[in-house]
Amino acid sequence: MPVSIKKKLEDLRENLRYHAYQYYVLDDPELPDVEYDRLYRQLLDLEKKHPALISSSSPTQRVGSKPLSAFGQIQHQLPMLSLDNVFNEEELHAFDQRVHDRLMHDEEIEYTAEPKLDGLAISLRYEKGALIYAATRGDGSMGENVTQNIRTMKSVPLVLLGKDYPDVLEVRGEVFMPKVGFEALNRQARLNEEKEFANPRNAAAGSLRQLDPKVTAKRPLSIYCYSTGVVEGGKLAGNTHYEILQQLQTFGLPVCREIKRVKGVKACLSYYENILNNRDALPYDIDGIVYKVDAIAFQHRLGFVARAPRWAIAHKFPAQEEISHILDIDFQVGRTGAITPVARLDPVFVGGVTVSNATLHNMDEIRRKDVRVGDQVIVRRAGDVIPEVVRVVPGSRKQSSVQIQMLNHCPVCGSDIEQLEGEATARCTGGLYCSAQRAEAIKHFASRKAMDIDGLGNKLIEQLVDESLISTPADLFQLSFDSLVSLERMGDKSASNLLAALEKSKQPTLAKFLYALGIREVGETTAMNLANAFMSLSTIQETDIDQLLEVQDIGPIVAQHIVSFFQQPHNLDVIDQLQSAGIKIKENKQQKLISDVASELTGKTIVITGTLPAMSRGEAKEKLLAVGAKVTGSVSTKTDYLLAGDNAGSKLSKAEKLGVKIINLDNMLALLGV
Ligand code: IVH
């Protein structure tokens, strides 16, 4: 009996190791996560029943129970080396030349080219296939014992796979934090009002230096192995670095998949360019490329100087962070009214280009980072992302530095700036008037769900704005045939069609008109609710926050946006101009108070899916909203009805699963009392 339990335990563990290998090393999981979790729980249960059979190499034993009081020291049997750097083509050629000269070799040298990961070096020691310890590089000869923490990383095998490993195998690699994990960790730190990590490397190092392995276990750390240390009692198969890395991978050790063999400097450089150009798309941070002479025999002949091998070199990418100083701060107004502070800098070469402007994102960031004019700051430019001011260089503040005055009025149009509680972005409230927002406001105004002006596409709107033919939505109605045909690519026919479409659009429903104004957060549904509740534009213009809050689905933020919008004289001017241009808001039959049209569906939450037989989903939605039903996008336990047409897919199956009532269009019309 115990024998079979032992066997069962071992089988389960082996199975879990195999699937962890598929997942972490090959990036090719065979099992869905839930199935893996099931196997894992099975193992946990069985071990709980038979605690004597728990072994430290079991996948359940990754997180040790006791925090350490300090890390022990580990003497590296073979030193952990560092790398020399080159920063350009010329220096790389010189390196390659030195290799040729020493080897007295005429042909092009084969190199393994690898991303230079931006984390921290680790040595893992396996004896008879079991992980014995893990140590940091330290000073190269003495490192810290971080075994407890490394064991919590699921990508590090506690037991090597297969049987072909040497008795003693030291593997060296880089522990790093993938970008996504880093961002999530910092997001959480912000929420908890804790200090954020400056970059993924610091985050990885900080996570490994935790004395409590339970903390490390929660950190998203990964590892890629890139070389070996001590190898005893057996050999690695392969005469090249590349083959050895492949063998490490068969032992279950993760190896970076971008690694390639290249021949000669030219191929090294094209590998470099290629990775540099795709750097942003990689899930982890790198700061260069490492080239290693591939043939192990050559490596032995080349040997070492001081702490670095002669057979490898790091080709660094241009720095992504540099120091500059702030000359001034300007405020820019974006196309949606967002106000962005931009620092004017002493030009500085960073991320491969000269940067003289860097964003400070929003006014809260200025306060948080306490940035002042005259400060020395760290500027970051990563890939195609716009350059940003990361932080003030500590201790660099001069007496003469000047605090930045926050704005109350839009620097473009003078309208009030509004920043709602809980929102990072401050915005100009002159949506209809502000020239920075013109084109976007008019595009929205003319769009299908708003004023539905046929033939007035985004390109044409931009052309009209660029030629200064329009600056507010009201100007659209002043356009003449002559001014239109004078535009490039505009024929007589299109011009008269557009004028006809403008004429036709002059009788919007109140809901559509409200929606067309582009008040922040006022989408179609909110516009419809407003129209139903207030029935006329003038009432809405004069309403206050309390009254707005009584309307279905209107919360404090939307209410504030609505009030602010109608407080701006410029916006009111545009509305007046629209009305003088002949816009007549249609008396809408549906603009009755909800209580008057109460139906079975009033107050119910409905999701619409599939193709309806006799009307569009938009029309069905309008009908539902008109009786005070709520139309939402996804099915949940809060959904009362699913209105399903033809070819309904996942929403239908979800509704069935949750037991949500499913109706067709006829049922809906009946419930509406139509
Ligand atoms: S090889 C002899 N390969 O860069 C082997 N190092 O600046 C020496 N690093 O301490 C290291 N990615 O922490 C090597 N693919 C890679 C690497 C890499 C990152 C780090 C490593 C090393 C440092 C040297």
Side-chain angles (χ1 to χ4, degrees), residues 80-256:
M80 285 184 77
L81 300 169
S82 177
L83 292 170
D84 281 338
N85 297 319
V86 294
F87 293 92
N88 54 43
E89 247 181 89
E90 216 183 318
E91 292 174 2
L92 180 61
H93 273 291
F95 163 79
D96 181 62
Q97 191 57 51
R98 288 197 298 276
V99 171
H100 274 100
D101 292 350
R102 278 209 164 245
L103 294 173
M104 292 191 286
H105 186 80
D106 291 338
E107 283 160 42
E108 286 191 318
I109 304 282
E110 267 203 88
Y111 293 101
T112 309
E114 314 179 356
K116 186 170 188 299
L117 300 151
D118 207 4
L120 67 156
I122 287 290
S123 183
L124 308 173
R125 187 173 170 106
Y126 288 90
E127 290 181 14
K128 298 218 167 354
L131 177 66
I132 300 300
Y133 67 68
T136 61
R137 178 170 179 276
D139 63 4
S141 55
M142 185 82 92
E144 274 178 330
N145 183 343
V146 288
T147 315
Q148 278 228 54
N149 289 343
I150 290 288
R151 283 178 60 97
T152 67
M153 292 170 53
K154 296 208 183 74
S155 51
V156 175
L158 299 178
V159 178
L160 296 180
L161 297 185
K163 296 195 184 66
D164 301 333
Y165 43 76
D167 285 349
V168 177
L169 173 64
E170 269 181 26
V171 184
R172 269 106 197 241
E174 194 88 346
V175 169
F176 60 94
M177 188 174 286
K179 293 176 193 165
V180 173
F182 168 72
E183 272 144 29
L185 188 64
N186 267 357
R187 209 176 309 125
Q188 195 54 48
R190 273 197 297 280
L191 285 177
N192 299 348
E193 297 189 0
E194 287 163 5
K195 200 168 172 284
E196 292 175 47
F197 287 106
N199 53 48
R201 186 194 43 235
N202 289 2
S207 300
L208 262 198
R209 296 239 171 73
Q210 294 291 330
L211 290 166
D212 184 354
K214 289 204 177 65
V215 177
T216 311
K218 289 198 198 114
R219 299 284 171 84
L221 294 174
S222 294
I223 187 169
Y224 280 142
C225 301
Y226 50 61
S227 71
T228 54
V230 177
V231 178
E232 281 170 7
K235 276 216 267 359
L236 292 166
N239 300 319
T240 61
H241 176 70
Y242 190 81
E243 286 162 344
I244 287 176
L245 290 185
Q246 292 199 315
Q247 201 186 11
L248 293 183
Q249 178 156 324
T250 67
F251 296 156
L253 294 155
V255 172
C256 174

Side-chain angles (χ1 to χ4, degrees), residues 9-113:
L9 278 167
E10 254 331 297
D11 285 352
L12 265 173
R13 287 172 190 155
E14 239 182 83
N15 203 4
L16 283 163
R17 277 176 204 133
Y18 171 78
H19 288 294
Y21 170 67
Q22 293 291 327
Y23 186 93
Y24 289 106
V25 179
L26 301 186
D27 213 356
D28 185 19
E30 283 178 9
L31 291 183
D33 293 359
V34 283
E35 185 54 30
Y36 181 90
D37 293 345
R38 241 172 254 144
L39 287 173
Y40 186 87
R41 273 202 308 276
Q42 223 175 318
L43 176 61
L44 267 183
D45 287 348
L46 209 56
E47 287 182 341
K48 214 162 154 192
K49 282 193 204 128
H50 305 277
L53 298 180
I54 298 180
S55 83
S56 69
S57 61
S58 170
T60 59
Q61 304 301 302
R62 286 192 170 271
V63 186
S65 51
K66 273 190 248 102
L68 298 171
S69 53
F71 294 112
Q73 299 276 304
I74 284 184
Q75 170 87 48
H76 298 298
Q77 199 179 323
L78 281 180
M80 285 184 77
L81 300 169
S82 177
L83 292 170
D84 281 338
N85 297 319
V86 294
F87 293 92
N88 54 43
E89 247 181 89
E90 216 183 318
E91 292 174 2
L92 180 61
H93 273 291
F95 163 79
D96 181 62
Q97 191 57 51
R98 288 197 298 276
V99 171
H100 274 100
D101 292 350
R102 278 209 164 245
L103 294 173
M104 292 191 286
H105 186 80
D106 291 338
E107 283 160 42
E108 286 191 318
I109 304 282
E110 267 203 88
Y111 293 101
T112 309

